[in-house]
């Protein structure tokens, strides 16, 4: 009888932590991408995670993600981040959704804006070590929240988010054909690949010619 009671208490506590608190959810992108579970995400790990992410967001599985499919996926992001289902996403919900922890998100006051000049990884990797550390993930997504919260009331509504995502879809669609290819998707997230053989070689030392 005591064992049954203990099991019931344990299950009840697990259900509360998983659902009642509204903050424990599916594994974050940072967690999924961190293949070797060392706490940091490398460019290679992120690219591998993006392959699966792109496939999931390609709703009709034709190998192309239209701007409409991209927006459908962003709606799912918003719904998943809104863990207490009150119709808005607050800072903690948003950062936990992406990073798995809110960390020092509340200390971030400056917005992080996206453009075609730098990828998400480049903006996240403030330590310039080629890895996204947990605190860098938190700082980036907290900054994104500050930017996306148009009226600065500490809550991101669905309209605020989706209106900005329409702009994001156009920004990611580099050639403006209404489709975000996997290459364009990767450029937005991790930047362009370095082309092999394009590195500048040191100039050969000139040997003086005797006349």
């Amino acid at each position: 009888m005591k064992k049954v009671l203990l099991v019931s208490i344990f299950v009840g506590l697990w259900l509360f932590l998983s659902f009642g608190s509204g903050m424990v959810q599916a594994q974050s992108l940072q967690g999924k991408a961190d293949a070797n579970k060392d706490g940091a995400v490398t460019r290679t790990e992120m690219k591998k995670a993006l392959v699966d992410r792109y496939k999931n967001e390609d709703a009709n599985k034709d190998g192309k993600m239209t701007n409409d499919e991209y927006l459908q996926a962003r709606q799912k992001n918003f719904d998943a981040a809104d863990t207490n289902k009150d119709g808005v996403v607050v800072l903690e919900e948003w950062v936990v959704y992406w990073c798995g922890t809110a960390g020092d998100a509340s200390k971030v006051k400056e917005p992080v804006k996206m453009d075609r000049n730098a990828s998400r990884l480049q903006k996240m990797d403030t330590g310039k070590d080629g890895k996204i550390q947990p605190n860098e993930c938190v700082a980036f997504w907290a900054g994104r929240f500050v930017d996306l919260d148009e009226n600065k009331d500490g809550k991101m509504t669905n309209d605020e988010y989706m209106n900005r995502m329409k702009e994001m879809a156009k920004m990611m669609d580099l050639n403006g054909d209404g489709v975000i290819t996997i290459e364009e998707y990767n450029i937005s997230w991790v930047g362009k690949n370095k082309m092999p053989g394009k590195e500048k070689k040191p100039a050969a030392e000139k040997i003086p010619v005797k006349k």
Side-chain angles (χ1 to χ4, degrees):
M1 188 68 181
K2 286 183 179 180
K3 288 183 178 180
V4 173
L5 181 60
L6 287 171
V7 170
S8 298
I9 292 172
F10 175 80
V11 171
L13 180 61
W14 179 83
L15 288 171
F16 172 76
L17 290 174
S18 299
F19 303 104
S21 67
M23 289 312 299
V24 178
Q25 54 188 43
Q27 192 177 22
S28 65
L29 177 61
Q30 179 83 358
K32 289 177 182 177
D34 181 16
N36 64 358
K37 305 305 174 190
D38 65 348
V41 175
T42 65
R43 188 176 190 275
T44 300
E45 287 176 325
M46 180 59 78
K47 285 193 72 173
K48 287 181 179 178
L50 290 175
V51 171
D52 290 335
R53 186 177 173 81
Y54 186 88
K55 288 178 180 178
N56 289 334
E57 296 184 359
D58 173 20
N60 64 359
K61 309 305 176 188
D62 65 349
K64 303 174 184 177
M65 181 164 59
T66 65
N67 288 2
D68 285 342
E69 286 175 323
Y70 177 80
L71 292 175
Q72 290 170 18
R74 301 292 70 75
Q75 182 63 59
K76 291 178 180 178
N77 281 164
F78 184 92
D79 294 341
D82 179 19
T83 51
N84 63 359
K85 306 307 174 188
D86 62 352
V88 297
V89 174
V90 297
L91 176 63
E92 185 178 3
E93 288 176 318
W94 176 251
V95 178
V96 168
Y97 173 75
W98 291 106
C99 305
T101 177
D104 290 331
S106 61
K107 295 181 180 179
V108 177
K109 305 300 179 186
E110 293 298 318
V112 173
K113 297 181 179 293
M114 293 304 301
D115 53 49
R116 288 181 176 177
N117 296 322
S119 67
R120 290 168 179 80
L121 185 141
Q122 288 171 313
K123 288 180 179 287
M124 276 192 255
D125 182 21
T126 55
K128 306 304 178 186
D129 62 352
K131 299 178 182 179
I132 304 169
Q133 304 293 344
N135 62 310
E136 291 175 325
C137 180
V138 168
F140 173 82
W141 289 108
R144 289 297 295 135
F145 182 90
V146 174
D147 182 50
L148 295 168
D149 177 19
E150 294 280 1
N151 63 0
K152 309 308 175 191
D153 65 348
K155 300 174 184 178
M156 182 167 61
T157 66
N158 189 269
D159 285 345
E160 284 177 322
Y161 181 58
M162 293 307 295
N163 285 339
R164 295 292 295 280
M165 290 304 100
K166 290 175 184 177
E167 297 174 13
M168 181 65 73
K170 291 178 181 178
M171 188 186 78
M172 293 175 70
D173 178 15
L174 298 177
N175 63 359
D177 65 351
V179 172
I180 301 170
T181 64
I182 183 62
E183 291 80 13
E184 290 172 326
Y185 195 74
N186 280 335
I187 286 171
S188 179
W189 273 94
V190 299
K192 295 181 179 180
N193 288 325
K194 291 183 179 179
M195 297 299 290
K198 293 293 184 179
E199 293 85 355
K200 289 184 177 180
K201 295 180 180 180
E205 185 178 351
K206 291 183 179 181
I207 301 174
V209 178
K210 293 182 181 180
K211 294 183 179 180

